[in-house]
Amino acid sequence: MSAVLVHSISDLRGRLEPFRRDGRIIGLVPTMGALHAGHGRLIERAREECGTVVVSVFVNPIQFNQALDFERYPRTLEADLKFCSDRGVDFVFAPPESEMYPCPQLAFVEVEKVTEHLCGAKRPGHFRGVTTVVTKLFNIVQPHRAYFGEKDAQQLATIQRMVADLNMPIEIVPVPTVREPDGLALSSRNTHLNEEERRVAPALYRSLQAARELIASGILDPGEVRRGALELLAKYPQIQVEYFEIVDAGTMQPVERITGPVRVAVAAWLGSTRLIDNIWCEYGRKD
Ligand code: PAF
């Protein structure tokens, strides 16, 4: 069956109402489109766990801090609709910008601290844009569950904290990162890589694995772990590292010593494309 494409908020609310009244669990997968197997995993999980599945497709202007990045973000609605239909999605909500932002937005949702480092430090305003649009989507769809990828670990931690702090009655379901066979994390931005950049890009994941090996073997000084991993990346002049950090897995604050589970996170530029990736690590564990 084809997923039903809906553009307006009132139409979507009206269509969801009977399902809600029937007591169906409503699952939301928020996306910016250009759907790939990583999104596919989120959708499959939502399909398994929810009676009604909504996928939102909206390239949210207020989370981009560079106009060029916003403009060149891939927009592939027709293919996205087919992708969702093939996976049994009930509704694809693809509002135009005028529906989401009919007048200049004056109310924003902000999560402090969790957004301070990593991408938050490098992309001012980005997480405020994310938490604001996700709150709007939550208010529009009123899902019981919402699905987010671990690839965007800081985004996931920020949304988990927002939902907890603001008592939003929504279960946030984290879904593991999907990778190409060579380890590159799936991302809509991978389509921007040229052949040479695509060839070296998996080094990012290898640097994270190297960090995990070091931590598992008992190196608990983040500086030492970082140096080891950066040595590996230094072999690739095509990769410009923006950050390589070891942070507390919940608060996303850099740690002074690795005493519990951490996330090792990297952001790097390959030409004009910015990629991010991360891995969960714990002393003594290699899996
Ligand atoms: O991860 C994304 O694709 C976006 O940041 C999200 C959560 C859909 C908000 O625009």
Side-chain angles (χ1 to χ4, degrees):
M1 264 237 311
S2 287
V4 177
L5 179 61
V6 182
H7 295 292
S8 91
I9 295 169
S10 60
D11 189 12
L12 183 69
R13 283 189 171 141
R15 287 173 186 269
L16 287 175
E17 197 40 46
F19 297 103
R20 207 183 301 283
R21 246 187 284 121
D22 265 15
R24 291 244 212 145
I25 300 289
I26 297 175
L28 171 66
V29 181
T31 82
M32 298 205 296
L35 303 180
H36 51 65
H39 299 107
R41 198 62 65 78
L42 304 180
I43 293 171
E44 278 157 29
R45 182 82 185 269
R47 187 65 287 169
E48 278 162 30
E49 298 179 352
C50 305
T52 302
V53 176
V54 181
V55 173
S56 63
V57 174
F58 179 62
V59 185
N60 174 35
I62 68 164
Q63 71 183 74
F64 287 82
N65 53 340
Q66 283 184 0
L68 182 64
D69 194 22
F70 174 64
E71 276 156 31
R72 74 172 198 158
Y73 201 87
R75 287 157 173 89
T76 57
L77 185 57
E78 214 173 299
D80 293 344
L81 187 61
K82 180 171 182 332
F83 187 94
C84 288
S85 297
D86 290 349
R87 287 159 183 78
V89 169
D90 299 292
F91 299 104
V92 171
F93 176 52
E97 205 176 306
S98 57
E99 183 74 0
M100 290 298 278
Y101 299 111
C103 47
Q105 185 80 9
L106 298 181
F108 296 91
V109 179
E110 211 155 353
V111 176
E112 296 178 357
K113 204 158 171 175
V114 184
T115 60
E116 225 171 59
H117 298 281
L118 311 176
C119 292
K122 301 295 176 190
R123 302 180 67 192
H126 167 67
F127 283 115
R128 183 172 95 143
V130 170
T131 41
T132 300
V133 80
V134 168
T135 301
K136 284 162 82 78
L137 291 166
F138 284 176
N139 286 335
I140 293 164
V141 177
Q142 296 180 30
H144 299 89
R145 298 196 181 125
Y147 295 79
F148 292 88
E150 284 180 4
K151 156 138 184 311
D152 298 307
Q154 192 176 18
Q155 169 172 285
L156 172 63
T158 301
I159 287 165
Q160 284 171 322
R161 191 60 192 248
M162 172 182 88
V163 164
D165 283 10
L166 297 179
N167 308 96
M168 295 179 174
I170 298 166
E171 185 190 337
I172 302 301
V173 183
V175 179
T177 303
V178 181
R179 299 183 180 281
E180 299 282 5
D182 60 11
L184 177 64
L186 295 195
S187 161
S188 307
R189 291 194 165 86
N190 293 353
T191 55
H192 297 314
L193 300 173
N194 67 27
E195 215 174 291
E196 170 67 358
E197 290 161 355
R198 174 64 190 82
R199 191 181 62 75
V200 299
L204 291 180
Y205 182 52
R206 288 201 298 278
S207 72
L208 295 173
Q209 286 177 307
R212 176 145 73 183
E213 294 274 319
L214 292 171
I215 294 170
S217 71
I219 298 190
L220 303 179
D221 168 18
E224 207 178 326
V225 174
R226 193 170 176 272
R227 274 191 297 281
L230 287 178
E231 242 168 61
L232 188 149
L233 287 177
K235 292 184 196 134
Y236 302 92
Q238 305 92 330
I239 300 179
Q240 302 300 313
V241 177
E242 190 182 80
Y243 65 70
F244 191 102
E245 299 289 345
I246 296 154
V247 296
D248 178 277
T251 64
M252 294 284 137
Q253 298 294 301
V255 295
E256 281 178 15
R257 195 155 175 84
I258 302 166
T259 53
V262 288
R263 282 231 176 241
V264 182
V266 63
W269 289 89
L270 285 89
S272 59
T273 306
R274 182 177 182 274
L275 297 182
I276 58 171
D277 199 354
N278 71 87
I279 203 170
W280 189 89
C281 305
E282 197 172 349
Y283 167 57
R285 289 187 62 161
K286 291 192 181 197
D287 54 337

